[in-house]
């Protein structure tokens, strides 16, 4: 019986050690990655997936100027600036949606995975 208990303690200690390596306590996830003062775009809903942060707009998400991989891929946004921003489905600004200061949208509906332009007003 005494040997059995000692074995359990060893297994538990090893598990804790592995968990500590895999998940740093200070790593931000989801919405928390979005820093104050930025317009944040996420490739998944509710702040999931890859994040891109903007201080100025991006007139063409499909080119390699600014963050890449976001064109027709954004599903949620958080506007942590004091300005109004706009997202557009087409180059040139047609089919836009204005996002006021502080706007936090978990899913962009008809705009999800269709945004190609981000504008700061
Ligand atoms: Ca771009
Ligand atoms: Ca997506």
């Amino acid at each position: 019986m005494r040997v059995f208990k000692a074995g359990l303690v060893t297994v538990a200690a090893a598990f804790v050690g592995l968990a500590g390596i895999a998940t740093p306590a200070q790593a931000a996830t989801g919405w928390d990655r979005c820093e104050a003062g930025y317009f944040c775009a996420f490739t998944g809903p509710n702040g999931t997936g890859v994040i891109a942060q903007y201080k100025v707009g991006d007139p063409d998400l499909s080119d390699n100027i600014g963050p890449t991989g976001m064109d027709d891929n954004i599903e949620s946004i958080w506007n942590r600036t004091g300005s109004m921003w706009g997202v557009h489905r087409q180059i040139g600004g047609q089919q836009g949606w204005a996002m006021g200061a502080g706007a936090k949208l978990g899913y962009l509906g008809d705009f999800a995975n269709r945004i190609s332009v981000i504008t700061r007003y």
Side-chain angles (χ1 to χ4, degrees):
M1 197 50 134
R2 180 175 287 273
V3 171
F4 179 65
K5 280 184 178 174
L8 274 183
V9 170
T10 301
V11 170
F15 180 78
V16 169
L18 280 176
I21 292 166
T23 312
Q26 69 276 21
T29 59
W31 293 117
D32 293 342
R33 295 173 292 173
C34 182
E35 299 172 68
Y38 288 88
F39 181 94
C40 300
F42 304 85
T43 59
N46 299 308
T48 61
V50 174
I51 182 177
Q53 302 195 113
Y54 299 88
K55 275 283 194 186
V56 296
D58 189 331
D60 183 358
L61 298 184
S62 70
D63 64 18
N64 58 12
I65 301 169
T68 57
M70 304 307 286
D71 187 47
D72 291 343
N73 200 7
I74 297 167
E75 293 177 40
S76 53
I77 66 95
W78 190 6
N79 178 5
R80 295 198 72 187
T81 75
S83 304
M84 180 171 285
W85 290 64
V87 295
H88 302 271
R89 289 196 264 184
Q90 295 178 7
I91 306 299
Q94 291 91 356
Q95 301 185 53
W97 183 357
M99 314 254 173
K104 189 177 187 180
L105 302 170
Y107 191 69
L108 298 175
D110 287 348
F111 281 68
N113 298 315
R114 296 180 71 182
I115 293 165
S116 295
V117 179
I118 295 175
T119 305
R120 182 172 191 161
Y121 295 113

